PDB file of all heavy atoms in Angstrom:
ATOM      1  N   ARG D   1       3.821  -8.349 -11.419  1.00  0.00           N
ATOM      2  CA  ARG D   1       2.768  -9.395 -11.373  1.00  0.00           C
ATOM      3  C   ARG D   1       1.421  -8.707 -11.019  1.00  0.00           C
ATOM      4  O   ARG D   1       1.411  -7.812 -10.147  1.00  0.00           O
ATOM      5  CB  ARG D   1       3.100 -10.466 -10.337  1.00  0.00           C
ATOM      6  CG  ARG D   1       2.039 -11.525 -10.222  1.00  0.00           C
ATOM      7  CD  ARG D   1       2.476 -12.567  -9.254  1.00  0.00           C
ATOM      8  NE  ARG D   1       1.373 -13.565  -9.045  1.00  0.00           N
ATOM      9  CZ  ARG D   1       1.429 -14.562  -8.141  1.00  0.00           C
ATOM     10  NH1 ARG D   1       2.518 -14.737  -7.351  1.00  0.00           N
ATOM     11  NH2 ARG D   1       0.423 -15.377  -7.991  1.00  0.00           N
ATOM     12  N   ARG D   2       0.388  -9.098 -11.696  1.00  0.00           N
ATOM     13  CA  ARG D   2      -0.956  -8.594 -11.367  1.00  0.00           C
ATOM     14  C   ARG D   2      -1.580  -9.475 -10.234  1.00  0.00           C
ATOM     15  O   ARG D   2      -1.678 -10.654 -10.376  1.00  0.00           O
ATOM     16  CB  ARG D   2      -1.814  -8.656 -12.624  1.00  0.00           C
ATOM     17  CG  ARG D   2      -3.316  -8.513 -12.434  1.00  0.00           C
ATOM     18  CD  ARG D   2      -3.716  -7.091 -12.161  1.00  0.00           C
ATOM     19  NE  ARG D   2      -5.181  -6.872 -12.236  1.00  0.00           N
ATOM     20  CZ  ARG D   2      -6.073  -7.174 -11.364  1.00  0.00           C
ATOM     21  NH1 ARG D   2      -5.662  -7.749 -10.226  1.00  0.00           N
ATOM     22  NH2 ARG D   2      -7.345  -6.896 -11.551  1.00  0.00           N
ATOM     23  N   ILE D   3      -1.997  -8.770  -9.138  1.00  0.00           N
ATOM     24  CA  ILE D   3      -2.613  -9.439  -7.999  1.00  0.00           C
ATOM     25  C   ILE D   3      -4.106  -9.004  -7.957  1.00  0.00           C
ATOM     26  O   ILE D   3      -4.362  -7.787  -7.825  1.00  0.00           O
ATOM     27  CB  ILE D   3      -1.908  -9.101  -6.706  1.00  0.00           C
ATOM     28  CG1 ILE D   3      -0.380  -9.392  -6.801  1.00  0.00           C
ATOM     29  CG2 ILE D   3      -2.564  -9.787  -5.528  1.00  0.00           C
ATOM     30  CD1 ILE D   3      -0.113 -10.847  -6.909  1.00  0.00           C
ATOM     31  N   GLY D   4      -5.039  -9.943  -7.988  1.00  0.00           N
ATOM     32  CA  GLY D   4      -6.460  -9.644  -8.053  1.00  0.00           C
ATOM     33  C   GLY D   4      -7.261 -10.053  -6.878  1.00  0.00           C
ATOM     34  O   GLY D   4      -8.494  -9.955  -6.895  1.00  0.00           O
ATOM     35  N   SER D   5      -6.636 -10.702  -5.886  1.00  0.00           N
ATOM     36  CA  SER D   5      -7.370 -11.180  -4.714  1.00  0.00           C
ATOM     37  C   SER D   5      -6.445 -11.277  -3.508  1.00  0.00           C
ATOM     38  O   SER D   5      -5.194 -11.231  -3.629  1.00  0.00           O
ATOM     39  CB  SER D   5      -8.002 -12.518  -4.958  1.00  0.00           C
ATOM     40  OG  SER D   5      -7.006 -13.538  -5.069  1.00  0.00           O
ATOM     41  N   TYR D   6      -7.026 -11.399  -2.309  1.00  0.00           N
ATOM     42  CA  TYR D   6      -6.202 -11.485  -1.116  1.00  0.00           C
ATOM     43  C   TYR D   6      -5.455 -12.829  -1.151  1.00  0.00           C
ATOM     44  O   TYR D   6      -4.248 -12.883  -0.757  1.00  0.00           O
ATOM     45  CB  TYR D   6      -7.095 -11.469   0.107  1.00  0.00           C
ATOM     46  CG  TYR D   6      -6.316 -11.579   1.414  1.00  0.00           C
ATOM     47  CD1 TYR D   6      -5.442 -10.577   1.854  1.00  0.00           C
ATOM     48  CD2 TYR D   6      -6.399 -12.736   2.219  1.00  0.00           C
ATOM     49  CE1 TYR D   6      -4.763 -10.682   3.028  1.00  0.00           C
ATOM     50  CE2 TYR D   6      -5.722 -12.844   3.394  1.00  0.00           C
ATOM     51  CZ  TYR D   6      -4.855 -11.851   3.795  1.00  0.00           C
ATOM     52  OH  TYR D   6      -4.162 -11.937   4.954  1.00  0.00           O
ATOM     53  N   GLY D   7      -6.050 -13.870  -1.693  1.00  0.00           N
ATOM     54  CA  GLY D   7      -5.310 -15.186  -1.745  1.00  0.00           C
ATOM     55  C   GLY D   7      -4.123 -15.046  -2.604  1.00  0.00           C
ATOM     56  O   GLY D   7      -3.041 -15.586  -2.318  1.00  0.00           O
ATOM     57  N   ASP D   8      -4.279 -14.361  -3.820  1.00  0.00           N
ATOM     58  CA  ASP D   8      -3.132 -14.173  -4.684  1.00  0.00           C
ATOM     59  C   ASP D   8      -2.042 -13.369  -4.018  1.00  0.00           C
ATOM     60  O   ASP D   8      -0.811 -13.675  -4.181  1.00  0.00           O
ATOM     61  CB  ASP D   8      -3.547 -13.494  -5.934  1.00  0.00           C
ATOM     62  CG  ASP D   8      -4.449 -14.366  -6.843  1.00  0.00           C
ATOM     63  OD1 ASP D   8      -4.471 -15.571  -6.575  1.00  0.00           O
ATOM     64  OD2 ASP D   8      -5.171 -13.803  -7.687  1.00  0.00           O
ATOM     65  N   LEU D   9      -2.444 -12.329  -3.226  1.00  0.00           N
ATOM     66  CA  LEU D   9      -1.443 -11.520  -2.556  1.00  0.00           C
ATOM     67  C   LEU D   9      -0.681 -12.330  -1.502  1.00  0.00           C
ATOM     68  O   LEU D   9       0.593 -12.215  -1.404  1.00  0.00           O
ATOM     69  CB  LEU D   9      -2.138 -10.384  -1.832  1.00  0.00           C
ATOM     70  CG  LEU D   9      -1.237  -9.441  -1.025  1.00  0.00           C
ATOM     71  CD1 LEU D   9      -0.172  -8.734  -1.917  1.00  0.00           C
ATOM     72  CD2 LEU D   9      -2.090  -8.392  -0.297  1.00  0.00           C
ATOM     73  N   VAL D  10      -1.386 -13.174  -0.760  1.00  0.00           N
ATOM     74  CA  VAL D  10      -0.675 -14.015   0.214  1.00  0.00           C
ATOM     75  C   VAL D  10       0.261 -14.935  -0.486  1.00  0.00           C
ATOM     76  O   VAL D  10       1.447 -15.148  -0.007  1.00  0.00           O
ATOM     77  CB  VAL D  10      -1.747 -14.804   1.070  1.00  0.00           C
ATOM     78  CG1 VAL D  10      -1.075 -15.861   1.950  1.00  0.00           C
ATOM     79  CG2 VAL D  10      -2.535 -13.869   1.938  1.00  0.00           C
ATOM     80  N   ASP D  11      -0.132 -15.569  -1.529  1.00  0.00           N
ATOM     81  CA  ASP D  11       0.754 -16.507  -2.232  1.00  0.00           C
ATOM     82  C   ASP D  11       1.969 -15.826  -2.762  1.00  0.00           C
ATOM     83  O   ASP D  11       3.060 -16.365  -2.685  1.00  0.00           O
ATOM     84  CB  ASP D  11      -0.067 -17.129  -3.425  1.00  0.00           C
ATOM     85  CG  ASP D  11      -1.157 -18.099  -2.919  1.00  0.00           C
ATOM     86  OD1 ASP D  11      -1.060 -18.580  -1.781  1.00  0.00           O
ATOM     87  OD2 ASP D  11      -2.062 -18.357  -3.736  1.00  0.00           O
ATOM     88  N   HIS D  12       1.837 -14.649  -3.303  1.00  0.00           N
ATOM     89  CA  HIS D  12       2.942 -13.905  -3.809  1.00  0.00           C
ATOM     90  C   HIS D  12       3.931 -13.517  -2.695  1.00  0.00           C
ATOM     91  O   HIS D  12       5.184 -13.642  -2.908  1.00  0.00           O
ATOM     92  CB  HIS D  12       2.470 -12.598  -4.534  1.00  0.00           C
ATOM     93  CG  HIS D  12       3.599 -11.798  -5.098  1.00  0.00           C
ATOM     94  ND1 HIS D  12       4.290 -12.214  -6.179  1.00  0.00           N
ATOM     95  CD2 HIS D  12       4.154 -10.575  -4.733  1.00  0.00           C
ATOM     96  CE1 HIS D  12       5.222 -11.283  -6.503  1.00  0.00           C
ATOM     97  NE2 HIS D  12       5.114 -10.300  -5.617  1.00  0.00           N
ATOM     98  N   VAL D  13       3.360 -13.046  -1.574  1.00  0.00           N
ATOM     99  CA  VAL D  13       4.238 -12.667  -0.482  1.00  0.00           C
ATOM    100  C   VAL D  13       5.058 -13.882   0.024  1.00  0.00           C
ATOM    101  O   VAL D  13       6.268 -13.829   0.250  1.00  0.00           O
ATOM    102  CB  VAL D  13       3.481 -12.018   0.679  1.00  0.00           C
ATOM    103  CG1 VAL D  13       4.342 -11.840   1.912  1.00  0.00           C
ATOM    104  CG2 VAL D  13       2.849 -10.694   0.261  1.00  0.00           C
ATOM    105  N   VAL D  14       4.391 -15.009   0.173  1.00  0.00           N
ATOM    106  CA  VAL D  14       5.026 -16.191   0.632  1.00  0.00           C
ATOM    107  C   VAL D  14       6.115 -16.681  -0.340  1.00  0.00           C
ATOM    108  O   VAL D  14       7.231 -17.096   0.009  1.00  0.00           O
ATOM    109  CB  VAL D  14       4.049 -17.338   0.891  1.00  0.00           C
ATOM    110  CG1 VAL D  14       4.721 -18.671   1.211  1.00  0.00           C
ATOM    111  CG2 VAL D  14       3.081 -16.970   2.046  1.00  0.00           C
ATOM    112  N   ASP D  15       5.829 -16.573  -1.628  1.00  0.00           N
ATOM    113  CA  ASP D  15       6.790 -16.958  -2.677  1.00  0.00           C
ATOM    114  C   ASP D  15       8.037 -16.061  -2.634  1.00  0.00           C
ATOM    115  O   ASP D  15       9.158 -16.556  -2.689  1.00  0.00           O
ATOM    116  CB  ASP D  15       6.171 -16.868  -4.088  1.00  0.00           C
ATOM    117  CG  ASP D  15       5.155 -17.920  -4.341  1.00  0.00           C
ATOM    118  OD1 ASP D  15       5.171 -18.973  -3.551  1.00  0.00           O
ATOM    119  OD2 ASP D  15       4.333 -17.779  -5.278  1.00  0.00           O
ATOM    120  N   GLN D  16       7.785 -14.771  -2.427  1.00  0.00           N
ATOM    121  CA  GLN D  16       8.950 -13.839  -2.429  1.00  0.00           C
ATOM    122  C   GLN D  16       9.811 -14.046  -1.158  1.00  0.00           C
ATOM    123  O   GLN D  16      11.038 -13.916  -1.173  1.00  0.00           O
ATOM    124  CB  GLN D  16       8.459 -12.428  -2.442  1.00  0.00           C
ATOM    125  CG  GLN D  16       7.712 -12.029  -3.784  1.00  0.00           C
ATOM    126  CD  GLN D  16       8.578 -12.233  -4.995  1.00  0.00           C
ATOM    127  OE1 GLN D  16       9.665 -11.628  -5.112  1.00  0.00           O
ATOM    128  NE2 GLN D  16       8.177 -13.099  -5.870  1.00  0.00           N
ATOM    129  N   LEU D  17       9.173 -14.359  -0.046  1.00  0.00           N
ATOM    130  CA  LEU D  17       9.954 -14.653   1.201  1.00  0.00           C
ATOM    131  C   LEU D  17      10.660 -15.975   1.122  1.00  0.00           C
ATOM    132  O   LEU D  17      11.680 -16.121   1.779  1.00  0.00           O
ATOM    133  CB  LEU D  17       8.963 -14.661   2.379  1.00  0.00           C
ATOM    134  CG  LEU D  17       8.382 -13.279   2.780  1.00  0.00           C
ATOM    135  CD1 LEU D  17       7.337 -13.455   3.926  1.00  0.00           C
ATOM    136  CD2 LEU D  17       9.464 -12.294   3.185  1.00  0.00           C
ATOM    137  N   GLY D  18      10.144 -16.882   0.355  1.00  0.00           N
ATOM    138  CA  GLY D  18      10.797 -18.183   0.216  1.00  0.00           C
ATOM    139  C   GLY D  18      11.972 -18.159  -0.802  1.00  0.00           C
ATOM    140  O   GLY D  18      12.767 -19.111  -0.837  1.00  0.00           O
ATOM    141  N   ASP D  19      12.072 -17.103  -1.563  1.00  0.00           N
ATOM    142  CA  ASP D  19      13.175 -17.003  -2.576  1.00  0.00           C
ATOM    143  C   ASP D  19      14.332 -16.269  -1.972  1.00  0.00           C
ATOM    144  O   ASP D  19      14.168 -15.169  -1.502  1.00  0.00           O
ATOM    145  CB  ASP D  19      12.629 -16.252  -3.820  1.00  0.00           C
ATOM    146  CG  ASP D  19      13.553 -16.321  -4.996  1.00  0.00           C
ATOM    147  OD1 ASP D  19      14.801 -16.401  -4.721  1.00  0.00           O
ATOM    148  OD2 ASP D  19      13.099 -16.251  -6.128  1.00  0.00           O
ATOM    149  N   GLU D  20      15.455 -16.887  -1.992  1.00  0.00           N
ATOM    150  CA  GLU D  20      16.654 -16.266  -1.372  1.00  0.00           C
ATOM    151  C   GLU D  20      17.056 -14.954  -2.037  1.00  0.00           C
ATOM    152  O   GLU D  20      17.570 -14.082  -1.382  1.00  0.00           O
ATOM    153  CB  GLU D  20      17.829 -17.243  -1.438  1.00  0.00           C
ATOM    154  CG  GLU D  20      17.668 -18.474  -0.549  1.00  0.00           C
ATOM    155  CD  GLU D  20      18.890 -19.397  -0.574  1.00  0.00           C
ATOM    156  OE1 GLU D  20      19.877 -18.992  -1.269  1.00  0.00           O
ATOM    157  OE2 GLU D  20      18.897 -20.430   0.100  1.00  0.00           O
ATOM    158  N   GLU D  21      16.728 -14.822  -3.288  1.00  0.00           N
ATOM    159  CA  GLU D  21      17.099 -13.617  -4.015  1.00  0.00           C
ATOM    160  C   GLU D  21      16.245 -12.400  -3.634  1.00  0.00           C
ATOM    161  O   GLU D  21      16.634 -11.275  -3.742  1.00  0.00           O
ATOM    162  CB  GLU D  21      17.039 -13.835  -5.501  1.00  0.00           C
ATOM    163  CG  GLU D  21      18.037 -14.898  -6.032  1.00  0.00           C
ATOM    164  CD  GLU D  21      17.958 -15.036  -7.574  1.00  0.00           C
ATOM    165  OE1 GLU D  21      17.144 -14.312  -8.169  1.00  0.00           O
ATOM    166  OE2 GLU D  21      18.730 -15.879  -8.080  1.00  0.00           O
ATOM    167  N   THR D  22      14.994 -12.675  -3.249  1.00  0.00           N
ATOM    168  CA  THR D  22      14.090 -11.584  -2.929  1.00  0.00           C
ATOM    169  C   THR D  22      13.761 -11.413  -1.477  1.00  0.00           C
ATOM    170  O   THR D  22      13.189 -10.476  -1.071  1.00  0.00           O
ATOM    171  CB  THR D  22      12.793 -11.752  -3.691  1.00  0.00           C
ATOM    172  OG1 THR D  22      12.225 -13.061  -3.359  1.00  0.00           O
ATOM    173  CG2 THR D  22      12.998 -11.710  -5.198  1.00  0.00           C
ATOM    174  N   ARG D  23      14.187 -12.439  -0.676  1.00  0.00           N
ATOM    175  CA  ARG D  23      13.801 -12.426   0.762  1.00  0.00           C
ATOM    176  C   ARG D  23      14.274 -11.172   1.492  1.00  0.00           C
ATOM    177  O   ARG D  23      13.547 -10.570   2.246  1.00  0.00           O
ATOM    178  CB  ARG D  23      14.330 -13.651   1.431  1.00  0.00           C
ATOM    179  CG  ARG D  23      13.898 -13.774   2.923  1.00  0.00           C
ATOM    180  CD  ARG D  23      14.506 -14.984   3.585  1.00  0.00           C
ATOM    181  NE  ARG D  23      14.301 -16.163   2.775  1.00  0.00           N
ATOM    182  CZ  ARG D  23      15.233 -17.112   2.522  1.00  0.00           C
ATOM    183  NH1 ARG D  23      16.458 -16.949   2.953  1.00  0.00           N
ATOM    184  NH2 ARG D  23      14.896 -18.165   1.824  1.00  0.00           N
ATOM    185  N   SER D  24      15.539 -10.771   1.279  1.00  0.00           N
ATOM    186  CA  SER D  24      16.104  -9.672   2.009  1.00  0.00           C
ATOM    187  C   SER D  24      15.409  -8.334   1.683  1.00  0.00           C
ATOM    188  O   SER D  24      15.240  -7.447   2.522  1.00  0.00           O
ATOM    189  CB  SER D  24      17.618  -9.529   1.776  1.00  0.00           C
ATOM    190  OG  SER D  24      17.836  -9.315   0.387  1.00  0.00           O
ATOM    191  N   ALA D  25      14.928  -8.223   0.424  1.00  0.00           N
ATOM    192  CA  ALA D  25      14.205  -6.996   0.015  1.00  0.00           C
ATOM    193  C   ALA D  25      12.891  -6.899   0.684  1.00  0.00           C
ATOM    194  O   ALA D  25      12.421  -5.779   1.052  1.00  0.00           O
ATOM    195  CB  ALA D  25      14.027  -6.982  -1.498  1.00  0.00           C
ATOM    196  N   TRP D  26      12.232  -8.024   0.972  1.00  0.00           N
ATOM    197  CA  TRP D  26      10.915  -8.030   1.604  1.00  0.00           C
ATOM    198  C   TRP D  26      11.004  -8.002   3.120  1.00  0.00           C
ATOM    199  O   TRP D  26      10.195  -7.339   3.791  1.00  0.00           O
ATOM    200  CB  TRP D  26      10.136  -9.266   1.159  1.00  0.00           C
ATOM    201  CG  TRP D  26       9.519  -9.126  -0.150  1.00  0.00           C
ATOM    202  CD1 TRP D  26      10.074  -9.262  -1.384  1.00  0.00           C
ATOM    203  CD2 TRP D  26       8.156  -8.827  -0.452  1.00  0.00           C
ATOM    204  NE1 TRP D  26       9.187  -9.069  -2.393  1.00  0.00           N
ATOM    205  CE2 TRP D  26       7.977  -8.854  -1.880  1.00  0.00           C
ATOM    206  CE3 TRP D  26       7.006  -8.665   0.337  1.00  0.00           C
ATOM    207  CZ2 TRP D  26       6.760  -8.551  -2.479  1.00  0.00           C
ATOM    208  CZ3 TRP D  26       5.781  -8.392  -0.294  1.00  0.00           C
ATOM    209  CH2 TRP D  26       5.625  -8.350  -1.681  1.00  0.00           C
ATOM    210  N   ALA D  27      11.958  -8.783   3.676  1.00  0.00           N
ATOM    211  CA  ALA D  27      11.974  -8.917   5.176  1.00  0.00           C
ATOM    212  C   ALA D  27      13.247  -8.421   5.842  1.00  0.00           C
ATOM    213  O   ALA D  27      13.297  -8.419   7.062  1.00  0.00           O
ATOM    214  CB  ALA D  27      11.740 -10.402   5.452  1.00  0.00           C
ATOM    215  N   GLY D  28      14.229  -8.004   5.094  1.00  0.00           N
ATOM    216  CA  GLY D  28      15.478  -7.571   5.679  1.00  0.00           C
ATOM    217  C   GLY D  28      16.479  -8.698   5.767  1.00  0.00           C
ATOM    218  O   GLY D  28      16.087  -9.858   5.788  1.00  0.00           O
ATOM    219  N   SER D  29      17.711  -8.348   5.843  1.00  0.00           N
ATOM    220  CA  SER D  29      18.746  -9.387   5.862  1.00  0.00           C
ATOM    221  C   SER D  29      19.020 -10.016   7.220  1.00  0.00           C
ATOM    222  O   SER D  29      19.622 -11.065   7.263  1.00  0.00           O
ATOM    223  CB  SER D  29      20.082  -8.721   5.288  1.00  0.00           C
ATOM    224  OG  SER D  29      20.444  -7.643   6.112  1.00  0.00           O
ATOM    225  N   ALA D  30      18.507  -9.426   8.257  1.00  0.00           N
ATOM    226  CA  ALA D  30      18.875  -9.938   9.602  1.00  0.00           C
ATOM    227  C   ALA D  30      17.848 -10.919  10.109  1.00  0.00           C
ATOM    228  O   ALA D  30      17.946 -11.397  11.265  1.00  0.00           O
ATOM    229  CB  ALA D  30      18.972  -8.742  10.612  1.00  0.00           C
TER     230      ALA D  30
END
């Protein structure tokens, strides 16, 4: 995904943390 602003970056990080499939890769499984 192309990120062009801080707001877009925040939204992407929050989306990835909210997704069960990608959460552990971003934040760890524990």
